Amino acid sequence: MDLWTLEQPGYDPQRGVTDGNRFLIANGYMGVRGTLLEAERQACPAVNLAGVYDRNGDKWREPVNAPRPRLFSLRFGGQEYVGATPREHVLRLSYRHGVFSRETDFGPFLLKEERIASLSEPHLLAERLSFTFREAGQAQVTLGLSTDIWDINGPHLFDFQQEAADTLLCRAVTGEKAIPVATAMALTWDGRGKKASALTAEGPAFTLCFDARPGETVTASLFMGVYTGLDDPAPAQQAQALCARAQSRGLDACFQDNGHAWEKVWARCQAELTGSDQEALSLHASQFYLNSIAPRHAENLSIPARGLSGQTYKGAIFWDSEIFLFPQFVYTQPQVARSLLRYRIETLPGALQKAAEYGFRGAFYPWESQEGGQEGCTDFNVVDVFTHRPVRTYFRDKQIHISADIAYALWQYYDITGDRSLLEEGGAEVILQCARFYLSRMSGHLDREELDLTDVIGPDEYHERVTNNAFTNRMARRCLESALALEAVFSDRPGFMAALKERLGYEADWARLPEAIRRLRGPWIRDGVLEQFDGYFDLEDCPLETVRSRLKDPREYWGGDHGVAGPTQIIKQADVIALMALLPEDFSDETVAKNFAYYEPRTEHGSSLSACMYALTACRIGALDKAWELFKKTASIDLVGGGKQWAGEIYIGGTHPAANGGAWMIAVLGFCGARMQRGELTLSPRLPSQVQAIRFALTTAEGPRQITVTREGWRSEPID
Ligand code: BGC
């Protein structure tokens, strides 16, 4: 079994949308959906751009898709083959080098396509297209830049200006902010015949006309450059110059550069599992999807919840980044982890503004963050399947744990690497402003000593507007504790904290921190089980299947005012258990075991973020068969194209970076028990019986290392 390749034989045009996700290639700058070069709009093809957003009218703001390369027409022997059903067809994705490929046998000829989103040159998309003929005949191939762009809430590009000369060019601007988007394409081919270019109704295109001979292979190399006005003041010139450079270097060299770049990335982050080939492949897949969307070209970008697979979830950054994606990066490629957190540091002004809008002080980060920290989350995020009316959800207003999650990751960065520079460069300020937010958000009763966080939503989104969510309160308390602990981090530079507090006018807040830490309400505990929020234990306690059987439509939303889960103890995703996974030292093994036993059967795992948190805690309590089952579910999610596709009537498909990061966490932090503190690694392995060994790379204080964990023990070796 090839543990590095996803292969799918057979032609099924209905699979276009899921193939688009499973066969996605990306390089942090752009994501290219794994659809065929000739795909029409219905198959949801896209070149999705990271960090470029647009809003059309009052529809949802979402990331922009650029014009894409497309095979417009393929005529041979007087017949059109675009849209024809092939005799045989196979799709492949090489995870090792990020190469999408397909082979399609149309009978008279065989079509091969190989595609990369270059990891060494983020603005470059390159393709090799080859035709091997079995019969003689006249061939005419038309391919170019398609302006027929698939969008969920578009269109986003306007004022198209197109040129068709030696290079094709397509210029446009976004509707909301008039950001220029330029794509250029150059083509080299080895055929004998005519190459011409022209403007067509769908975009500028090259046409190749030649007489094919039996046994002959004709190959075309395509180089496409993409730049926006956010990258450079002259994006069209840059895109054209890149095409010219890539063309003169040649396609093989472009593929080689990309391959080397991938080898380097794998050398830093690869986790390799022996014992089950299927799961070894799943882990490669997860790591590929996650690492292909890392913003290596930037210093202050984060990663959207559906990666670069399209416009689902508005291309926004959620807590997924800090809690699920960040760990793999901080252990393996700290510079990417820095970028995720720099994005939060630089978007602090947006968080201050959001808190102020709600009448609070400090930093309340957006639930769905877009460029510049703009809140992308709307008031209505779900559509009722019966009335087709939008349903008011309170994610934006009430999911206040987001600020604590960010403060947690900033602290983790310091704690894991021992590098305090990020705290110095704005991280400490973010922690203080998040703490200030919770200080202003807490409220008390005259007759009680305790302070509450009322009217919140915890990670379990099915129960909205609850009080004292255990996760939220404990993470908020951790944020306050981290604020105070900053003093010790900078004890050798007392002036640093004094100046920061002075600049932020923080003296009064600082004085309140110890008391707030003491008074912030802890969860109600019954027989060792933490109550998820006040009153949770009073809700109907019935099996998950009973709740599922109450659905009148499988696409119904389970949460909100009328959702089936609301009146019951059935939860969407790990909540109390997520807390135990994040703050393991706060809970005894016995408490974790009791809470796992209580909450797991009551969890729908309706979010791809859920299973990995349960798996991490399962490892801790030695429930290794359960951990293995949850690992398989987490790691295979994008390989099999699973996950929920709908929330009410809203399409939420795409890749699942949080689960991809989760798979790494289970393998390395869970099964191997890896912990790094100030760059020092410790391991306490607990391999499930199905696993013989796990080998993984990470970066410690001594530099990059390779760790091998077997049933007999473990060893650590330097990587050159
Ligand atoms: C989950 C959130 C998550 C979001 C994006 C939702 O379904 O409930 O916790 O942040 O998806 O992945």
Side-chain angles (χ1 to χ4, degrees), residues 304-306 313 316 318-320 324 367-368 395 399 401 458-462 557 572-573 606-609 644 647 652 656-658:
R306 286 291 174 269
Y313 281 144
F318 291 63
W319 71 312
D320 306 32
F324 298 83
W367 180 241
E368 300 182 21
F395 310 143
Q399 217 155 153
H401 64 82
D460 160 32
E461 292 181 339
Y462 287 165
Y557 182 55
K572 178 178 180 185
Q573 65 199 87
S607 157
S608 59
L609 280 56
K644 262 195 186 175
I652 55 168
H656 300 81

mmCIF file of all heavy atoms in Angstrom, residues 304-306 313 316 318-320 324 367-368 395 399 401 458-462 557 572-573 606-609 644 647 652 656-658, ligand 1:
data_model
loop_
_atom_site.group_PDB
_atom_site.id
_atom_site.type_symbol
_atom_site.label_atom_id
_atom_site.label_comp_id
_atom_site.label_asym_id
_atom_site.label_seq_id
_atom_site.Cartn_x
_atom_site.Cartn_y
_atom_site.Cartn_z
ATOM 1 N N PRO A 304 -7.885 29.895 8.110
ATOM 2 C CA PRO A 304 -9.344 29.788 8.250
ATOM 3 C C PRO A 304 -9.800 28.384 8.669
ATOM 4 O O PRO A 304 -9.086 27.396 8.439
ATOM 5 C CB PRO A 304 -9.863 30.096 6.840
ATOM 6 C CG PRO A 304 -8.736 30.718 6.107
ATOM 7 C CD PRO A 304 -7.480 30.217 6.737
ATOM 8 N N ALA A 305 -11.001 28.336 9.257
ATOM 9 C CA ALA A 305 -11.520 27.071 9.804
ATOM 10 C C ALA A 305 -11.700 25.995 8.733
ATOM 11 O O ALA A 305 -11.681 24.813 9.048
ATOM 12 C CB ALA A 305 -12.844 27.318 10.514
ATOM 13 N N ARG A 306 -11.898 26.374 7.494
ATOM 14 C CA ARG A 306 -11.978 25.373 6.431
ATOM 15 C C ARG A 306 -10.768 25.495 5.504
ATOM 16 O O ARG A 306 -10.842 25.165 4.307
ATOM 17 C CB ARG A 306 -13.286 25.523 5.639
ATOM 18 C CG ARG A 306 -14.509 25.044 6.385
ATOM 19 C CD ARG A 306 -14.514 23.526 6.547
ATOM 20 N NE ARG A 306 -15.602 23.071 7.378
ATOM 21 C CZ ARG A 306 -15.531 22.899 8.701
ATOM 22 N NH1 ARG A 306 -14.401 23.140 9.340
ATOM 23 N NH2 ARG A 306 -16.566 22.478 9.384
ATOM 24 N N TYR A 313 -17.789 28.946 5.956
ATOM 25 C CA TYR A 313 -17.476 29.643 7.210
ATOM 26 C C TYR A 313 -16.794 30.985 6.952
ATOM 27 O O TYR A 313 -15.976 31.445 7.728
ATOM 28 C CB TYR A 313 -16.589 28.794 8.120
ATOM 29 C CG TYR A 313 -17.321 27.714 8.897
ATOM 30 C CD1 TYR A 313 -16.748 26.481 9.140
ATOM 31 C CD2 TYR A 313 -18.594 27.940 9.411
ATOM 32 C CE1 TYR A 313 -17.403 25.499 9.859
ATOM 33 C CE2 TYR A 313 -19.263 26.970 10.124
ATOM 34 C CZ TYR A 313 -18.660 25.747 10.346
ATOM 35 O OH TYR A 313 -19.305 24.780 11.066
ATOM 36 N N ALA A 316 -13.183 32.491 7.635
ATOM 37 C CA ALA A 316 -12.788 33.196 8.855
ATOM 38 C C ALA A 316 -11.919 32.344 9.777
ATOM 39 O O ALA A 316 -11.894 31.121 9.698
ATOM 40 C CB ALA A 316 -14.041 33.644 9.607
ATOM 41 N N PHE A 318 -11.221 31.066 13.472
ATOM 42 C CA PHE A 318 -11.942 30.779 14.708
ATOM 43 C C PHE A 318 -10.936 30.392 15.798
ATOM 44 O O PHE A 318 -9.730 30.395 15.559
ATOM 45 C CB PHE A 318 -12.894 29.590 14.515
ATOM 46 C CG PHE A 318 -14.090 29.834 13.622
ATOM 47 C CD1 PHE A 318 -13.953 30.143 12.281
ATOM 48 C CD2 PHE A 318 -15.376 29.695 14.118
ATOM 49 C CE1 PHE A 318 -15.057 30.320 11.455
ATOM 50 C CE2 PHE A 318 -16.498 29.866 13.300
ATOM 51 C CZ PHE A 318 -16.333 30.181 11.976
ATOM 52 N N TRP A 319 -11.467 29.960 16.954
ATOM 53 C CA TRP A 319 -10.586 29.444 18.021
ATOM 54 C C TRP A 319 -9.854 28.192 17.567
ATOM 55 O O TRP A 319 -8.868 27.788 18.186
ATOM 56 C CB TRP A 319 -11.373 29.181 19.310
ATOM 57 C CG TRP A 319 -12.316 28.002 19.269
ATOM 58 C CD1 TRP A 319 -13.232 27.726 18.283
ATOM 59 C CD2 TRP A 319 -12.451 26.946 20.218
ATOM 60 N NE1 TRP A 319 -13.927 26.581 18.589
ATOM 61 C CE2 TRP A 319 -13.478 26.074 19.775
ATOM 62 C CE3 TRP A 319 -11.823 26.643 21.429
ATOM 63 C CZ2 TRP A 319 -13.876 24.933 20.468
ATOM 64 C CZ3 TRP A 319 -12.219 25.508 22.124
ATOM 65 C CH2 TRP A 319 -13.228 24.670 21.645
ATOM 66 N N ASP A 320 -10.311 27.611 16.475
ATOM 67 C CA ASP A 320 -9.654 26.436 15.903
ATOM 68 C C ASP A 320 -8.144 26.674 15.786
ATOM 69 O O ASP A 320 -7.333 25.788 16.033
ATOM 70 C CB ASP A 320 -10.189 26.137 14.495
ATOM 71 C CG ASP A 320 -11.700 25.996 14.430
ATOM 72 O OD1 ASP A 320 -12.385 26.680 15.215
ATOM 73 O OD2 ASP A 320 -12.200 25.241 13.589
ATOM 74 N N PHE A 324 -6.418 24.135 18.136
ATOM 75 C CA PHE A 324 -6.303 22.873 17.398
ATOM 76 C C PHE A 324 -5.158 22.867 16.376
ATOM 77 O O PHE A 324 -4.590 21.827 16.093
ATOM 78 C CB PHE A 324 -7.628 22.559 16.699
ATOM 79 C CG PHE A 324 -8.767 22.367 17.669
ATOM 80 C CD1 PHE A 324 -9.461 23.441 18.187
ATOM 81 C CD2 PHE A 324 -9.117 21.095 18.091
ATOM 82 C CE1 PHE A 324 -10.488 23.260 19.108
ATOM 83 C CE2 PHE A 324 -10.142 20.896 19.004
ATOM 84 C CZ PHE A 324 -10.827 21.985 19.508
ATOM 85 N N TRP A 367 -15.528 36.237 16.928
ATOM 86 C CA TRP A 367 -15.733 34.787 16.868
ATOM 87 C C TRP A 367 -15.284 34.269 15.508
ATOM 88 O O TRP A 367 -14.721 33.202 15.393
ATOM 89 C CB TRP A 367 -17.193 34.448 17.163
ATOM 90 C CG TRP A 367 -17.424 32.964 17.098
ATOM 91 C CD1 TRP A 367 -18.258 32.299 16.250
ATOM 92 C CD2 TRP A 367 -16.768 31.962 17.888
ATOM 93 N NE1 TRP A 367 -18.159 30.944 16.469
ATOM 94 C CE2 TRP A 367 -17.241 30.700 17.468
ATOM 95 C CE3 TRP A 367 -15.810 32.002 18.912
ATOM 96 C CZ2 TRP A 367 -16.799 29.499 18.025
ATOM 97 C CZ3 TRP A 367 -15.375 30.800 19.457
ATOM 98 C CH2 TRP A 367 -15.867 29.571 19.012
ATOM 99 N N GLU A 368 -15.541 35.054 14.468
ATOM 100 C CA GLU A 368 -15.114 34.680 13.117
ATOM 101 C C GLU A 368 -14.317 35.854 12.582
ATOM 102 O O GLU A 368 -14.886 36.832 12.119
ATOM 103 C CB GLU A 368 -16.323 34.414 12.209
ATOM 104 C CG GLU A 368 -17.199 33.290 12.710
ATOM 105 C CD GLU A 368 -18.382 32.989 11.780
ATOM 106 O OE1 GLU A 368 -18.324 33.353 10.598
ATOM 107 O OE2 GLU A 368 -19.348 32.399 12.268
ATOM 108 N N PHE A 395 -23.503 33.244 18.490
ATOM 109 C CA PHE A 395 -22.071 32.909 18.529
ATOM 110 C C PHE A 395 -21.219 34.175 18.655
ATOM 111 O O PHE A 395 -20.249 34.222 19.399
ATOM 112 C CB PHE A 395 -21.643 32.159 17.268
ATOM 113 C CG PHE A 395 -22.518 30.992 16.909
ATOM 114 C CD1 PHE A 395 -22.802 30.705 15.579
ATOM 115 C CD2 PHE A 395 -23.071 30.178 17.884
ATOM 116 C CE1 PHE A 395 -23.596 29.631 15.228
ATOM 117 C CE2 PHE A 395 -23.877 29.100 17.547
ATOM 118 C CZ PHE A 395 -24.138 28.830 16.217
ATOM 119 N N GLN A 399 -19.933 33.881 22.583
ATOM 120 C CA GLN A 399 -18.895 32.852 22.674
ATOM 121 C C GLN A 399 -17.592 33.518 23.153
ATOM 122 O O GLN A 399 -16.583 33.569 22.436
ATOM 123 C CB GLN A 399 -18.730 32.096 21.345
ATOM 124 C CG GLN A 399 -18.450 30.650 21.638
ATOM 125 C CD GLN A 399 -18.824 29.639 20.583
ATOM 126 O OE1 GLN A 399 -18.197 28.608 20.566
ATOM 127 N NE2 GLN A 399 -19.797 29.870 19.741
ATOM 128 N N HIS A 401 -15.357 32.753 25.198
ATOM 129 C CA HIS A 401 -14.124 32.028 25.541
ATOM 130 C C HIS A 401 -13.019 32.291 24.522
ATOM 131 O O HIS A 401 -11.846 32.020 24.774
ATOM 132 C CB HIS A 401 -14.382 30.519 25.702
ATOM 133 C CG HIS A 401 -14.844 29.796 24.470
ATOM 134 N ND1 HIS A 401 -13.975 29.360 23.503
ATOM 135 C CD2 HIS A 401 -16.073 29.422 24.046
ATOM 136 C CE1 HIS A 401 -14.656 28.735 22.543
ATOM 137 N NE2 HIS A 401 -15.935 28.757 22.842
ATOM 138 N N GLY A 458 -20.597 28.145 25.504
ATOM 139 C CA GLY A 458 -19.326 27.421 25.622
ATOM 140 C C GLY A 458 -19.010 26.762 24.295
ATOM 141 O O GLY A 458 -19.695 26.987 23.287
ATOM 142 N N PRO A 459 -17.998 25.890 24.254
ATOM 143 C CA PRO A 459 -17.696 25.186 22.998
ATOM 144 C C PRO A 459 -18.903 24.425 22.451
ATOM 145 O O PRO A 459 -19.081 24.324 21.235
ATOM 146 C CB PRO A 459 -16.571 24.236 23.410
ATOM 147 C CG PRO A 459 -15.888 24.930 24.539
ATOM 148 C CD PRO A 459 -16.981 25.635 25.297
ATOM 149 N N ASP A 460 -19.749 23.874 23.341
ATOM 150 C CA ASP A 460 -20.975 23.199 22.911
ATOM 151 C C ASP A 460 -21.978 24.261 22.467
ATOM 152 O O ASP A 460 -22.672 24.870 23.289
ATOM 153 C CB ASP A 460 -21.542 22.391 24.087
ATOM 154 C CG ASP A 460 -23.019 22.064 23.895
ATOM 155 O OD1 ASP A 460 -23.447 21.889 22.730
ATOM 156 O OD2 ASP A 460 -23.745 21.989 24.913
ATOM 157 N N GLU A 461 -22.076 24.466 21.170
ATOM 158 C CA GLU A 461 -22.909 25.571 20.658
ATOM 159 C C GLU A 461 -24.400 25.275 20.705
ATOM 160 O O GLU A 461 -25.204 26.151 20.414
ATOM 161 C CB GLU A 461 -22.493 25.898 19.220
ATOM 162 C CG GLU A 461 -21.114 26.489 19.131
ATOM 163 C CD GLU A 461 -20.711 26.849 17.705
ATOM 164 O OE1 GLU A 461 -21.301 26.302 16.765
ATOM 165 O OE2 GLU A 461 -19.782 27.660 17.554
ATOM 166 N N TYR A 462 -24.760 24.024 21.012
ATOM 167 C CA TYR A 462 -26.198 23.719 21.020
ATOM 168 C C TYR A 462 -26.924 24.362 22.204
ATOM 169 O O TYR A 462 -28.131 24.546 22.157
ATOM 170 C CB TYR A 462 -26.422 22.201 21.051
ATOM 171 C CG TYR A 462 -26.114 21.495 19.744
ATOM 172 C CD1 TYR A 462 -25.971 20.111 19.699
ATOM 173 C CD2 TYR A 462 -25.964 22.201 18.550
ATOM 174 C CE1 TYR A 462 -25.690 19.453 18.508
ATOM 175 C CE2 TYR A 462 -25.675 21.547 17.365
ATOM 176 C CZ TYR A 462 -25.535 20.173 17.346
ATOM 177 O OH TYR A 462 -25.253 19.528 16.167
ATOM 178 N N TYR A 557 -31.191 21.993 12.303
ATOM 179 C CA TYR A 557 -30.163 22.456 13.240
ATOM 180 C C TYR A 557 -30.547 22.014 14.660
ATOM 181 O O TYR A 557 -31.655 22.263 15.105
ATOM 182 C CB TYR A 557 -30.028 23.984 13.148
ATOM 183 C CG TYR A 557 -28.956 24.519 14.055
ATOM 184 C CD1 TYR A 557 -27.657 24.027 13.967
ATOM 185 C CD2 TYR A 557 -29.235 25.495 15.008
ATOM 186 C CE1 TYR A 557 -26.665 24.494 14.810
ATOM 187 C CE2 TYR A 557 -28.241 25.975 15.851
ATOM 188 C CZ TYR A 557 -26.963 25.468 15.751
ATOM 189 O OH TYR A 557 -25.982 25.922 16.584
ATOM 190 N N LYS A 572 -23.068 19.168 21.499
ATOM 191 C CA LYS A 572 -22.526 19.090 20.140
ATOM 192 C C LYS A 572 -21.098 18.544 20.131
ATOM 193 O O LYS A 572 -20.734 17.744 19.290
ATOM 194 C CB LYS A 572 -22.540 20.497 19.529
ATOM 195 C CG LYS A 572 -21.958 20.562 18.133
ATOM 196 C CD LYS A 572 -22.045 21.965 17.561
ATOM 197 C CE LYS A 572 -21.467 22.017 16.157
ATOM 198 N NZ LYS A 572 -21.427 23.380 15.615
ATOM 199 N N GLN A 573 -20.266 19.026 21.054
ATOM 200 C CA GLN A 573 -18.837 18.709 20.981
ATOM 201 C C GLN A 573 -18.215 18.791 22.361
ATOM 202 O O GLN A 573 -18.852 19.281 23.304
ATOM 203 C CB GLN A 573 -18.150 19.697 20.040
ATOM 204 C CG GLN A 573 -18.156 21.136 20.525
ATOM 205 C CD GLN A 573 -17.891 22.127 19.405
ATOM 206 O OE1 GLN A 573 -18.793 22.558 18.705
ATOM 207 N NE2 GLN A 573 -16.623 22.499 19.240
ATOM 208 N N GLY A 606 -20.806 16.452 16.780
ATOM 209 C CA GLY A 606 -21.343 17.146 15.609
ATOM 210 C C GLY A 606 -20.380 18.188 15.058
ATOM 211 O O GLY A 606 -20.708 18.887 14.106
ATOM 212 N N SER A 607 -19.236 18.304 15.680
ATOM 213 C CA SER A 607 -18.195 19.193 15.155
ATOM 214 C C SER A 607 -16.930 18.366 15.007
ATOM 215 O O SER A 607 -16.645 17.480 15.820
ATOM 216 C CB SER A 607 -17.945 20.348 16.133
ATOM 217 O OG SER A 607 -16.654 20.879 15.928
ATOM 218 N N SER A 608 -16.154 18.686 13.975
ATOM 219 C CA SER A 608 -14.905 17.956 13.739
ATOM 220 C C SER A 608 -13.871 18.274 14.829
ATOM 221 O O SER A 608 -12.784 17.721 14.835
ATOM 222 C CB SER A 608 -14.351 18.310 12.362
ATOM 223 O OG SER A 608 -14.132 19.701 12.296
ATOM 224 N N LEU A 609 -14.205 19.201 15.738
ATOM 225 C CA LEU A 609 -13.274 19.568 16.802
ATOM 226 C C LEU A 609 -13.416 18.665 18.028
ATOM 227 O O LEU A 609 -12.668 18.792 18.984
ATOM 228 C CB LEU A 609 -13.524 21.019 17.255
ATOM 229 C CG LEU A 609 -12.950 22.161 16.430
ATOM 230 C CD1 LEU A 609 -13.385 22.105 14.987
ATOM 231 C CD2 LEU A 609 -13.315 23.501 17.026
ATOM 232 N N LYS A 644 -19.698 16.924 8.637
ATOM 233 C CA LYS A 644 -21.029 17.447 8.326
ATOM 234 C C LYS A 644 -20.968 18.340 7.103
ATOM 235 O O LYS A 644 -20.070 19.158 6.975
ATOM 236 C CB LYS A 644 -21.513 18.294 9.502
ATOM 237 C CG LYS A 644 -22.427 17.570 10.438
ATOM 238 C CD LYS A 644 -23.132 18.574 11.334
ATOM 239 C CE LYS A 644 -23.942 17.835 12.369
ATOM 240 N NZ LYS A 644 -24.545 18.734 13.341
ATOM 241 N N ALA A 647 -25.462 22.823 7.850
ATOM 242 C CA ALA A 647 -26.012 23.308 9.121
ATOM 243 C C ALA A 647 -27.299 23.997 8.701
ATOM 244 O O ALA A 647 -27.264 25.083 8.124
ATOM 245 C CB ALA A 647 -25.074 24.289 9.805
ATOM 246 N N ILE A 652 -21.603 23.674 4.705
ATOM 247 C CA ILE A 652 -20.435 23.915 5.562
ATOM 248 C C ILE A 652 -19.297 22.946 5.236
ATOM 249 O O ILE A 652 -18.411 22.722 6.047
ATOM 250 C CB ILE A 652 -20.799 23.824 7.067
ATOM 251 C CG1 ILE A 652 -21.467 22.475 7.393
ATOM 252 C CG2 ILE A 652 -21.697 24.963 7.503
ATOM 253 C CD1 ILE A 652 -21.584 22.213 8.887
ATOM 254 N N HIS A 656 -10.895 20.093 6.964
ATOM 255 C CA HIS A 656 -11.080 20.295 8.407
ATOM 256 C C HIS A 656 -9.737 20.439 9.120
ATOM 257 O O HIS A 656 -9.266 19.490 9.778
ATOM 258 C CB HIS A 656 -11.847 19.114 9.000
ATOM 259 C CG HIS A 656 -13.200 18.939 8.395
ATOM 260 N ND1 HIS A 656 -13.401 18.301 7.192
ATOM 261 C CD2 HIS A 656 -14.413 19.353 8.815
ATOM 262 C CE1 HIS A 656 -14.694 18.330 6.901
ATOM 263 N NE2 HIS A 656 -15.324 18.953 7.855
ATOM 264 N N PRO A 657 -9.110 21.604 9.001
ATOM 265 C CA PRO A 657 -7.792 21.777 9.616
ATOM 266 C C PRO A 657 -7.769 21.449 11.107
ATOM 267 O O PRO A 657 -6.765 20.911 11.597
ATOM 268 C CB PRO A 657 -7.489 23.260 9.391
ATOM 269 C CG PRO A 657 -8.335 23.657 8.230
ATOM 270 C CD PRO A 657 -9.556 22.798 8.270
ATOM 271 N N ALA A 658 -8.852 21.736 11.836
ATOM 272 C CA ALA A 658 -8.824 21.483 13.285
ATOM 273 C C ALA A 658 -8.682 19.987 13.551
ATOM 274 O O ALA A 658 -7.931 19.571 14.441
ATOM 275 C CB ALA A 658 -10.079 22.039 13.956
HETATM 276 C C1 BGC B 1 -17.882 24.507 15.934
HETATM 277 C C2 BGC B 1 -16.940 25.566 16.445
HETATM 278 C C3 BGC B 1 -15.843 25.780 15.429
HETATM 279 C C4 BGC B 1 -16.429 26.115 14.072
HETATM 280 C C5 BGC B 1 -15.374 26.230 12.997
HETATM 281 C C6 BGC B 1 -18.412 24.935 14.581
HETATM 282 O O1 BGC B 1 -19.226 23.930 14.062
HETATM 283 O O2 BGC B 1 -18.948 24.323 16.841
HETATM 284 O O3 BGC B 1 -16.382 25.169 17.685
HETATM 285 O O4 BGC B 1 -15.004 26.805 15.846
HETATM 286 O O5 BGC B 1 -17.332 25.109 13.693
HETATM 287 O O6 BGC B 1 -14.679 25.039 12.846
#
